[in-house]
Amino acid sequence: MKKTILCFAFLLCQIINGQTFSTNLTPVGWEHNTLFNATTRYTVTQQGPAVHLPALFDGGMSPFYISGITPSNPSVILIEGLSALHTQAGAWVGWTTRYLPATRFKIEGYDEYNSANTWRIIADYSTVDYGGFNFSVRIPVVGGYTKLKFTFYSGQDYNGGNGTVGISELFFIHPEATYPYAGLLATAQGNWQNNGSDLVFNTGNVGMGIAKPNNKLDVNGTIHAREVKVDVEKWSDFVFKKEYSLPTLQEVEKHITEKGHLENIPSEEEVLKNGISLGEMNSKLLQKIEELTLYIIHQNKEIEVLKNQEKSNAAICIKVEELQNEIQKLKTK
């Protein structure tokens, strides 16, 4: 029994010693990369030989290549607007790739902690070669880093010459400034954000069945809803105001003959090309309905006048007939 207890205690110690528990003083996993989707969450700029920046922060790990890099013409990627949280001792910075790693580079961070407001060198391989396919380093001076600057001076290509650097991802692994996959997954902080029971998309456009949406929501298909509510900036009741100049029917006819559509209503060509705005179009259609209502009211008044004239004419006819009868009687006497 004692041997069993001792064996169990030994195994338990080995398990505990073999585990690394993440705290705010220890590095955590790749899923805590603060730079996920940095181009939409922070300000990212580059100087010198360029690369498609979103690819360096999408978590896809596919290498992208920067050509034409030389020590006198380095590629500089600056990330600004990071949260100025104290890094403590657990923040790591670096890059990774599959092919053509950087041989000479420098990583700097702008520290605002306790009003330091200074650039600090995090890693410097600008004068000595680096030979790995990935690089990571713990922040050497704890602080509050609001900016990161990656400078790549040279890379090794397939033919043994310098000038091309491959990068899969740039990362800033921070145990306190983020939570798992923040800025990458829909449930994480970034473009998509949980707001109580609501899911909010903060920046950019959403496309469904369309690759490049130009509006907040572009849908290439049918939208099925019980009700659609559209906010409008103006409505068409100005037609009923005294100062409104109602076009004559002759003017309406002339516009239709010349243009082939009602005035202030888009033509078939415009609609097929640009579509219609529901709010604006409903307002325009209401304007035409209200104008038609005024035409009908006006014509109804004219009809009433004609009816009264017809009654008056009928009475006159009866009176004339009576007079004619009287005249005829007088002639026969």
Side-chain angles (χ1 to χ4, degrees), residues 17-290:
N17 290 333
Q19 290 180 335
T20 300
F21 294 97
S22 294
T23 71
N24 61 355
L25 297 177
T26 61
V28 289
W30 172 257
E31 68 274 12
H32 285 76
N33 180 14
T34 303
L35 301 185
F36 279 140
N37 282 331
T39 50
T40 60
R41 303 169 63 214
Y42 312 117
T43 300
V44 184
T45 56
Q46 58 183 329
Q47 295 179 343
V51 68
H52 181 57
L53 288 174
L56 305 185
F57 309 102
D58 62 1
M61 306 300 287
S62 297
F64 292 83
Y65 304 103
I66 313 175
S67 301
I69 292 178
T70 64
S72 60
N73 185 34
S75 177
V76 182
I77 299 172
L78 176 64
I79 306 162
E80 302 176 87
L82 299 171
S83 176
L85 292 180
H86 188 204
T87 62
Q88 304 240 348
W92 289 67
V93 179
W95 53 264
T96 182
T97 187
R98 185 182 303 126
Y99 306 114
L100 306 182
T103 54
R104 297 202 175 184
F105 62 91
K106 181 190 289 186
I107 303 176
E108 301 167 84
Y110 190 78
D111 182 11
E112 294 186 6
Y113 190 66
N114 283 338
S115 300
N117 297 329
T118 185
W119 282 98
R120 302 191 188 279
I121 296 177
I122 298 174
D124 189 358
Y125 282 83
S126 59
T127 58
V128 295
D129 286 343
Y130 179 77
F133 281 79
N134 56 73
F135 176 82
S136 61
V137 63
R138 181 181 294 207
I139 298 290
V141 179
V142 296
Y145 291 90
T146 59
K147 304 177 187 178
L148 289 176
K149 184 190 297 182
F150 293 79
T151 305
F152 298 97
Y153 298 97
S154 64
Q156 192 73 31
D157 69 16
Y158 288 113
N159 298 321
N162 292 323
T164 303
V165 170
I167 306 175
S168 296
E169 294 286 327
L170 301 180
F171 59 84
F172 181 24
I173 297 177
H174 197 310
E176 293 185 302
T178 187
Y179 51 90
Y181 303 105
L184 185 61
L185 296 186
T187 56
Q189 184 179 3
N191 275 5
W192 290 103
Q193 184 175 0
N194 290 322
N195 183 14
S197 60
D198 299 325
L199 181 62
V200 180
F201 191 77
N202 294 315
T203 60
N205 301 324
V206 177
M208 296 184 179
I210 188 168
K212 295 182 179 180
N214 296 315
N215 302 284
K216 285 299 181 183
L217 176 61
D218 277 356
V219 179
N220 183 18
T222 301
I223 299 176
H224 182 185
R226 186 179 297 276
E227 183 62 71
V228 176
K229 183 177 180 180
V230 179
D231 294 329
V232 295
E233 297 181 356
K234 62 180 181 179
W235 204 231
S236 299
D237 289 345
F238 57 82
V239 170
F240 295 143
K241 294 182 178 180
K242 292 181 179 180
E243 59 269 22
Y244 180 70
S245 179
L246 181 67
T248 66
L249 289 176
Q250 290 77 13
E251 291 172 336
V252 173
E253 181 182 16
K254 180 181 178 182
H255 189 278
I256 293 174
T257 302
E258 294 177 353
K259 306 293 185 180
H261 60 88
L262 290 173
E263 188 175 5
N264 295 324
I265 298 295
S267 67
E268 179 183 12
E269 182 182 358
E270 292 173 316
V271 172
L272 294 178
K273 180 180 179 181
N274 303 319
I276 61 172
S277 169
L278 289 179
E280 180 183 7
M281 183 54 64
N282 274 286
S283 179
K284 289 181 179 294
L285 292 176
L286 178 62
Q287 178 181 345
K288 297 306 172 185
I289 291 173
E290 292 182 348

